[in-house]
């Protein structure tokens, strides 16, 4: 009788151990499936440059993004938004690397504040910002461009035009005027260089080694940035943003 009880007990223990191990394996498998599903949910669905550009445009509604490899003299976006040109190659990298994407989202978020600081800094020197923007190259380097105009440039040129005939008749006065113009130009170049240095320092402070270049273009009053009238100038600057990738 004792032998039967012992065999029954051993059989029960064996079955219980088997059931426990089976349940453990089932729970482990279910846990792995849950982790996998969670991972798939958290990983970005963006894979292409177009995906990333669309994502950034939706997240930063007060920004104007364009997929382009920036070159000096290139202007894009609206003068009422923060304009950012990003290399298509780098957009693809961001779309497939969530850590890189998060890193550069922080940089992009800081650009608006830097633009506002730029406007104040330029105004302090007697200039105003006509247009400005940012560029991120294929290696992730960040550059800043600005087009600025001297506040009193237009009135000065109008005065020169009104007195042109008189100046032509008076050679000595003409020479003096030419010297004055050259002095103004020299001062303008020096102020432009000073502005560039200020913006460069601000960019390097904000973005560190990522910051690559600063572009400042001092514009004369007869140079236009966009369109033919004031309304167009307020709404858009430079190239069409409807770019295909």
């Amino acid at each position: 009788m004792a032998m039967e009880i012992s065999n029954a007990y051993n059989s029960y223990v064996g079955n219980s151990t088997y059931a426990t191990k089976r349940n453990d394996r089932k729970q482990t498998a279910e846990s792995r499936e849950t982790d996998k599903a969670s991972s798939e949910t958290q990983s970005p669905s963006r894979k292409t440059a177009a995906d990333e550009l669309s994502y950034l445009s939706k997240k930063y509604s007060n920004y104007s993004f364009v997929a382009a490899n920036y070159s000096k003299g290139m202007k894009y976006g609206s003068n009422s938004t923060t304009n950012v040109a990003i290399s298509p190659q780098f957009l693809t990298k961001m779309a497939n690397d969530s850590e890189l994407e998060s890193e550069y989202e922080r940089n992009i978020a800081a650009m608006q504040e830097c633009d506002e600081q730029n406007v104040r800094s330029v105004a302090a020197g007697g200039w105003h910002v006509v247009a400005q923007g940012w560029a991120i190259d294929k290696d992730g380097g960040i550059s800043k461009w600005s087009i600025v105009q001297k506040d009193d440039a237009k009135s000065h040129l109008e005065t020169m035009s009104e007195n042109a005939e008189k100046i032509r008749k008076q050679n000595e006065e003409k020479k003096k005027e030419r010297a004055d113009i050259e002095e103004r130009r020299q001062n303008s170049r020096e102020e432009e260089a000073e502005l560039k240095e200020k913006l460069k320092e601000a960019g390097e402070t904000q973005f560190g080694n990522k910051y690559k270049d600063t572009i400042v273009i001092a514009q004369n009053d007869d140079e236009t940035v966009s369109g033919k009238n004031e309304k167009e100038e307020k709404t858009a600057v430079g190239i069409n943003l409807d770019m295909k990738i």
Side-chain angles (χ1 to χ4, degrees):
M1 183 66 176
M3 180 66 72
E4 292 177 356
I5 294 174
S6 177
N7 289 338
Y9 175 76
N10 289 336
S11 177
Y12 169 77
V13 171
N15 290 336
S16 297
T17 302
Y18 171 77
T20 300
K21 290 182 178 180
R22 184 177 181 183
N23 287 334
D24 287 345
R25 287 196 297 270
K26 182 179 180 181
Q27 290 175 0
T28 300
E30 289 176 349
S31 176
R32 287 174 180 172
E33 287 297 323
T34 301
D35 292 342
K36 180 181 179 181
S38 176
S39 176
E40 289 174 350
T41 301
Q42 293 176 1
S43 62
S45 59
R46 299 175 290 283
K47 295 298 179 183
T48 68
D51 293 337
E52 188 67 22
L53 191 67
S54 176
Y55 162 74
L56 293 173
S57 297
K58 290 177 181 177
K59 182 169 184 176
Y60 300 94
S61 58
N62 56 338
Y63 282 55
S64 291
F65 290 97
V66 59
N69 290 306
Y70 178 81
S71 59
K72 185 175 181 180
M74 173 181 168
K75 300 183 286 290
Y76 49 86
S78 166
N79 58 10
S80 62
T81 63
T82 300
N83 305 303
V84 188
I86 308 177
S87 164
Q89 296 95 316
F90 197 73
L91 280 169
T92 302
K93 291 180 183 178
M94 290 176 65
N96 290 275
D97 187 334
S98 59
E99 290 186 4
L100 182 68
E101 181 185 63
S102 297
E103 177 185 347
Y104 275 82
E105 280 191 59
R106 290 191 292 272
N107 295 147
I108 291 170
M111 289 175 179
Q112 185 176 52
E113 183 178 351
C114 290
D115 276 354
E116 294 169 355
Q117 292 175 351
N118 179 31
V119 171
R120 292 193 294 269
S121 179
V122 168
W127 297 74
H128 68 272
V129 175
V130 177
Q132 60 182 335
W134 299 86
I136 301 177
D137 64 29
K138 63 183 179 62
D139 299 315
I142 299 173
S143 299
K144 167 76 175 170
W145 64 267
S146 295
I147 298 176
V148 299
Q149 191 175 69
K150 193 72 173 178
D151 287 336
D152 63 352
K154 185 174 182 179
S155 61
H156 172 67
L157 292 176
E158 285 177 346
T159 301
M160 286 182 60
S161 178
E162 292 171 0
N163 296 326
E165 188 63 29
K166 181 179 179 180
I167 293 174
R168 284 195 294 268
K169 294 178 180 180
Q170 300 175 358
N171 291 334
E172 289 299 321
E173 191 173 339
K174 186 176 181 180
K175 290 179 181 179
K176 182 178 180 300
E177 186 67 23
R178 284 177 176 172
D180 183 56
I181 292 173
E182 181 56 36
E183 182 180 354
R184 288 173 183 268
R185 287 176 176 170
Q186 180 61 32
N187 290 339
S188 177
R189 286 192 289 267
E190 291 175 357
E191 291 181 19
E192 182 180 334
E194 184 178 349
L195 286 173
K196 180 175 180 178
E197 187 61 29
K198 286 182 179 179
L199 297 180
K200 179 182 178 183
E201 290 177 1
E204 290 176 344
T205 299
Q206 181 66 46
F207 302 106
N209 293 333
K210 293 178 186 175
Y211 194 78
K212 300 299 181 183
D213 197 12
T214 302
I215 307 297
V216 176
I217 302 172
Q219 187 180 65
N220 294 325
D221 70 311
D222 56 345
E223 295 179 288
T224 59
V225 178
S226 68
K228 298 181 180 179
N229 56 52
E230 184 177 354
K231 181 178 180 181
E232 291 176 347
E233 185 176 6
K234 288 181 179 179
T235 57
V237 177
I239 66 173
N240 186 346
L241 284 180
D242 187 20
M243 301 182 70
K244 305 299 182 182
I245 301 174

